[in-house]
Amino acid sequence: MNVPALKPSRESAEILVHPAHSVGGFIIDDAGREVAITEQMIQQACEALDRQWVAAQPRFTH
């Protein structure tokens, strides 16, 4: 399956927003306030997922 949207490109790299600017979404914090999601928040979440990634183990052996 070819998923072109997931391929990095020079064009997509040129339109990145400032890390502190909102990227259009919000989360609700523990106090019930809306907090804008920033590029920096997304990058930090992706880095955390990369650090936690482990390869899948086969469920069955033949």
PDB file of all heavy atoms in Angstrom, residues 4 13 30 42 46 48 50:
ATOM      1  N   PRO A   4       1.259   8.248   0.179  1.00  0.00           N
ATOM      2  CA  PRO A   4       2.122   9.393  -0.076  1.00  0.00           C
ATOM      3  C   PRO A   4       2.081  10.449   1.019  1.00  0.00           C
ATOM      4  O   PRO A   4       3.047  11.157   1.231  1.00  0.00           O
ATOM      5  CB  PRO A   4       1.603   9.952  -1.400  1.00  0.00           C
ATOM      6  CG  PRO A   4       0.321   9.290  -1.681  1.00  0.00           C
ATOM      7  CD  PRO A   4       0.232   8.065  -0.816  1.00  0.00           C
ATOM      8  N   ALA A  13       8.148  20.158   4.602  1.00  0.00           N
ATOM      9  CA  ALA A  13       9.078  20.709   5.584  1.00  0.00           C
ATOM     10  C   ALA A  13       9.081  22.231   5.551  1.00  0.00           C
ATOM     11  O   ALA A  13       9.319  22.875   6.561  1.00  0.00           O
ATOM     12  CB  ALA A  13      10.488  20.183   5.334  1.00  0.00           C
ATOM     13  N   ASP A  30      -6.506  19.115  33.094  1.00  0.00           N
ATOM     14  CA  ASP A  30      -7.127  18.587  34.316  1.00  0.00           C
ATOM     15  C   ASP A  30      -8.100  19.570  34.964  1.00  0.00           C
ATOM     16  O   ASP A  30      -9.016  19.161  35.682  1.00  0.00           O
ATOM     17  CB  ASP A  30      -6.059  18.190  35.331  1.00  0.00           C
ATOM     18  CG  ASP A  30      -5.238  16.999  34.865  1.00  0.00           C
ATOM     19  OD1 ASP A  30      -5.737  16.221  34.023  1.00  0.00           O
ATOM     20  OD2 ASP A  30      -4.100  16.846  35.340  1.00  0.00           O
ATOM     21  N   ILE A  42       3.281  18.102  19.662  1.00  0.00           N
ATOM     22  CA  ILE A  42       3.211  16.947  18.766  1.00  0.00           C
ATOM     23  C   ILE A  42       4.584  16.305  18.618  1.00  0.00           C
ATOM     24  O   ILE A  42       4.712  15.076  18.683  1.00  0.00           O
ATOM     25  CB  ILE A  42       2.637  17.359  17.396  1.00  0.00           C
ATOM     26  CG1 ILE A  42       1.175  17.769  17.572  1.00  0.00           C
ATOM     27  CG2 ILE A  42       2.794  16.238  16.369  1.00  0.00           C
ATOM     28  CD1 ILE A  42       0.566  18.423  16.364  1.00  0.00           C
ATOM     29  N   CYS A  46       5.617  12.487  19.665  1.00  0.00           N
ATOM     30  CA  CYS A  46       6.205  11.551  18.701  1.00  0.00           C
ATOM     31  C   CYS A  46       7.540  11.011  19.205  1.00  0.00           C
ATOM     32  O   CYS A  46       7.829   9.814  19.069  1.00  0.00           O
ATOM     33  CB  CYS A  46       6.389  12.225  17.350  1.00  0.00           C
ATOM     34  SG  CYS A  46       4.830  12.552  16.496  1.00  0.00           S
ATOM     35  N   ALA A  48       8.444  10.679  22.334  1.00  0.00           N
ATOM     36  CA  ALA A  48       8.161   9.757  23.434  1.00  0.00           C
ATOM     37  C   ALA A  48       7.708   8.401  22.888  1.00  0.00           C
ATOM     38  O   ALA A  48       8.130   7.355  23.387  1.00  0.00           O
ATOM     39  CB  ALA A  48       7.088  10.344  24.357  1.00  0.00           C
ATOM     40  N   ASP A  50       8.499   7.156  19.947  1.00  0.00           N
ATOM     41  CA  ASP A  50       9.685   6.527  19.345  1.00  0.00           C
ATOM     42  C   ASP A  50      10.534   5.835  20.404  1.00  0.00           C
ATOM     43  O   ASP A  50      11.050   4.745  20.186  1.00  0.00           O
ATOM     44  CB  ASP A  50      10.537   7.551  18.601  1.00  0.00           C
ATOM     45  CG  ASP A  50       9.965   7.932  17.251  1.00  0.00           C
ATOM     46  OD1 ASP A  50       9.097   7.195  16.735  1.00  0.00           O
ATOM     47  OD2 ASP A  50      10.389   8.965  16.710  1.00  0.00           O
TER      48      ASP A  50
END
